[in-house]
Amino acid sequence: MIDILQLKLLTNQVRGLRSVQQGRMPLSQLIGYYAAKPVDVAVPALLIRVNRLYRHGMSQDELYDVTRGIWKLGSRKAGARYAFAVFEGVVREVFEIYSWHPSGTTPYRSRDTTGFLARKRWEFLGAPAPESIRSQYVNRSVAHLFPKGLQTPTRYVNC
């Protein structure tokens, strides 16, 4: 509420749990964050946790850029048809994967690529998935597919 009312002169010691990271957000994102229903992924997909780079209100280009690279992946990446941008267990966007490339070899629109020429890391080129796919997964929870303690930010499903 503090963010909605734009009250900046309050003397609270703490703004509230996660308020700096989340701040104001559209209703669709609030619903996705607090009421995301679990979904089983039926398509060949690479789930990518973008927790460190995600922020509410990102443009489509920014979300695409943080999702598409740079990842340490094996040969199973070739079987993934879709990349799911996952933030805190909830699918925020789904991208169709067109092709894989060594990291740092394709242009980014909104991301500084300094240091992207890393060995054994990959990035994809693609576009938002068709609406028939997006509507099945966006704002749905896939947290159950990331076991507690799993360190890797990626997870293959049906690949």
Side-chain angles (χ1 to χ4, degrees), residues 107-122:
Y108 284 72
R109 297 179 198 159
S110 64
R111 196 168 169 196
D112 178 15
T113 59
T114 304
F116 272 26
L117 288 173
R119 290 180 38 171
K120 298 183 183 177
R121 291 191 179 259
W122 297 90

Side-chain angles (χ1 to χ4, degrees), residues 1-8 15 19-20 22-24:
M1 290 306 296
I2 292 170
D3 289 330
I4 290 171
L5 297 173
Q6 298 181 354
L7 301 173
K8 295 180 175 44
R15 287 180 51 110
S19 65
V20 174
Q22 294 175 358
R24 292 184 342 175

Side-chain angles (χ1 to χ4, degrees), residues 30-135:
L30 277 171
I31 292 168
Y33 191 76
Y34 291 106
K37 292 184 171 96
V39 66
D40 289 321
V41 178
V43 295
L46 176 63
L47 281 56
I48 302 171
R49 290 191 286 195
V50 294
N51 292 347
R52 291 185 182 180
L53 297 173
Y54 182 86
R55 71 181 194 299
H56 294 287
M58 293 179 86
S59 72
Q60 185 80 355
D61 284 346
E62 290 172 316
L63 185 53
Y64 171 64
D65 277 355
V66 301
T67 304
R68 72 183 199 88
I70 59 174
W71 307 109
K72 195 171 198 176
L73 301 169
S75 60
R76 289 177 65 189
K77 71 183 176 300
R81 187 163 173 211
Y82 299 100
F84 289 32
V86 178
F87 174 68
E88 294 191 346
V90 177
V91 177
R92 302 304 173 161
E93 188 55 85
V94 180
F95 298 99
E96 187 169 5
I97 299 169
Y98 296 155
S99 58
W100 286 100
H101 304 271
S103 63
T105 60
T106 63
Y108 284 72
R109 297 179 198 159
S110 64
R111 196 168 169 196
D112 178 15
T113 59
T114 304
F116 272 26
L117 288 173
R119 290 180 38 171
K120 298 183 183 177
R121 291 191 179 259
W122 297 90
E123 60 196 23
F124 69 87
L125 290 178
E131 186 58 32
S132 60
I133 297 293
R134 292 181 69 254
S135 64

